[in-house]
Amino acid sequence: MATSWKVSDDGLTWTFQLREGVRFHDGTPCDADAVVFTFERLIVPNHPGVFDPLIPYAPDFATIAEVKAVAPLVVEFRLKEPSAVFEANLAMFPASIVSPTAVKRHGRSFGVNPVGTGPFKFVRWVRQQELVLEANAEHWRGRPQIDRVVFVPVKEPAVRVKQLDRGEIHLADDLPPAELDALASHPGIRLQEVPGINIGYLAINADKPPLDNLQVREAIWHAINKARFIDVCYAGHAQAALTPVPPTLWGSHPGLKDRAFDVAKAKALIEQAASEASFQLPLTLDLFVMATPRPYLQQPQEAAAFIKEQLRAIGLELRIVTSETSLHFKRLTGGEHQLALAGWSSDNTDPDNFLYQLLDSDNINDRGGNNICRYRNATVHELLLAAKRERDLDRRKELYFQAQEQIFADAPMVPLVHTTTRIAQRVELQGYRLHPTALAWLREAHFLRAAP
């Protein structure tokens, strides 16, 4: 929505000029007042426009001291300190500008009655049946060519494949890798594949003994055969990970060397830890896993079964606890788990979005904190805060390298994979470009016209 912006010499004041004539779907102007209302919901305690204490990403906006409208289409942010990530964080979904009118009208139900400024408008949502959008004829970039978009939840991958084959649907996401490989030879079907910007990982809750013991965490790491994991759970369409930051992103540490898959070493480590910390083997632990696939965890149940089998070899018996995705992450945020399969797709392509979000002590809380490993390291915390402030890119990169070295040494998680992002679609659907995050961007999508 901003057509230009400028930053003061001290880096503390950011002034944005907004696009003229943009309106929300309910007719409310998308102006400086709407921007102020949106960000005050994120930074003002007990804001009347907030109806749920769960505020994901709130620490990312804590650097904002004040936001104010200085003209109808000019908004000014004053920061508490210079920030190298403020601009990138404005691109994240929690910073999406909301219609003040709609928030006040729908109140607690605003989340299921969304009102935006995008190319498609919300029509209706019938849970477990359909979510319907229609073209926004007033969009500032022009009306999209597709009249209507219908999202249909279908749990069984085999059913989605048949629907796609028969032309009943035009896109099918989150299909198992082997199904996608098979679809490649079907007439009328096209696959898209792009490098992802994600991480799939095994979270280790350091608040729960004996997982607070480094030897135990290292033993878990050595016990997992990542190459075999990728073959079994991703049909080879992934890359072994050893740091949260994917190699497709700047700031990923290129010099780390992974711990080897070594069952004998893993057994020795955990037996030594059991002896020193006085716990018995075999030890039973809970492994939390989501019920439905995500781009970084395309077959959650198979992945959980694989990890269970691997850790049994070193005396760890896992109880698999499956929850629907939203409940899964709510339980992880609250720290219920001991082990958990989880992941992350970049919101803004900045390393801060992986390292600070997933591994900084600021993000341990039950209000949406994403540090589900509950990892605390004062040195890492200071490095990540320094990197937030540092505006020299080379210096920032060095700070992130140091943070990743310490995180690797502490092993609060086992980074498992960085996946490629893939999707299957009908060939008559044109103009749809798969985004590395797998989010659906449909403004330029259209259908081939039949020959006259």
Side-chain angles (χ1 to χ4, degrees), residues 193-245:
E193 180 169 353
V194 296
I197 41 177
N198 58 46
I199 173 73
Y201 64 94
L202 177 67
I204 305 173
N205 187 344
D207 276 354
K208 296 194 173 178
L211 301 174
D212 56 344
N213 185 310
L214 176 59
Q215 289 177 312
V216 173
R217 299 196 298 272
E218 287 187 310
I220 291 171
W221 191 310
H222 280 293
I224 297 173
N225 184 338
K226 293 182 187 177
R228 183 66 182 147
F229 181 69
I230 289 169
D231 285 342
V232 170
C233 300
Y234 298 86
H237 294 278
Q239 177 179 351
L242 51 93
T243 172
V245 184

Side-chain angles (χ1 to χ4, degrees), residues 31 60 97 135 167 171 175 203 223 247 311 315 328 332-333 346 382 401-402 404-405 434 446 450:
D31 56 12
D60 286 306
I97 310 303
L171 284 164
L175 288 174
L311 297 192
H328 172 69
L332 301 190
T333 298
S346 177
E382 292 304 321
F401 287 176
Q402 293 176 38
Q404 287 170 83
E405 289 165 7
L434 179 61
H446 59 277

Side-chain angles (χ1 to χ4, degrees), residues 264-287:
K265 185 172 184 177
K267 288 180 71 174
L269 280 167
I270 203 157
E271 286 170 359
Q272 184 178 350
S275 173
E276 294 174 358
S278 298
F279 64 86
Q280 298 292 318
L281 293 172
L283 177 69
T284 301
L285 300 171
D286 289 334
L287 171 64

Side-chain angles (χ1 to χ4, degrees), residues 301-339:
Q301 296 305 315
E302 289 82 354
F306 183 92
I307 298 296
K308 178 176 181 176
E309 190 63 28
Q310 297 271 284
L311 297 192
R312 177 175 289 151
I314 63 168
L316 298 180
E317 292 292 337
L318 302 189
R319 287 186 299 240
I320 297 175
V321 181
T322 304
S323 303
E324 290 299 324
T325 301
S326 58
L327 177 60
H328 172 69
F329 282 106
K330 185 176 182 180
R331 298 180 76 175
L332 301 190
T333 298
E336 290 185 39
H337 59 294
Q338 291 169 305
L339 301 174

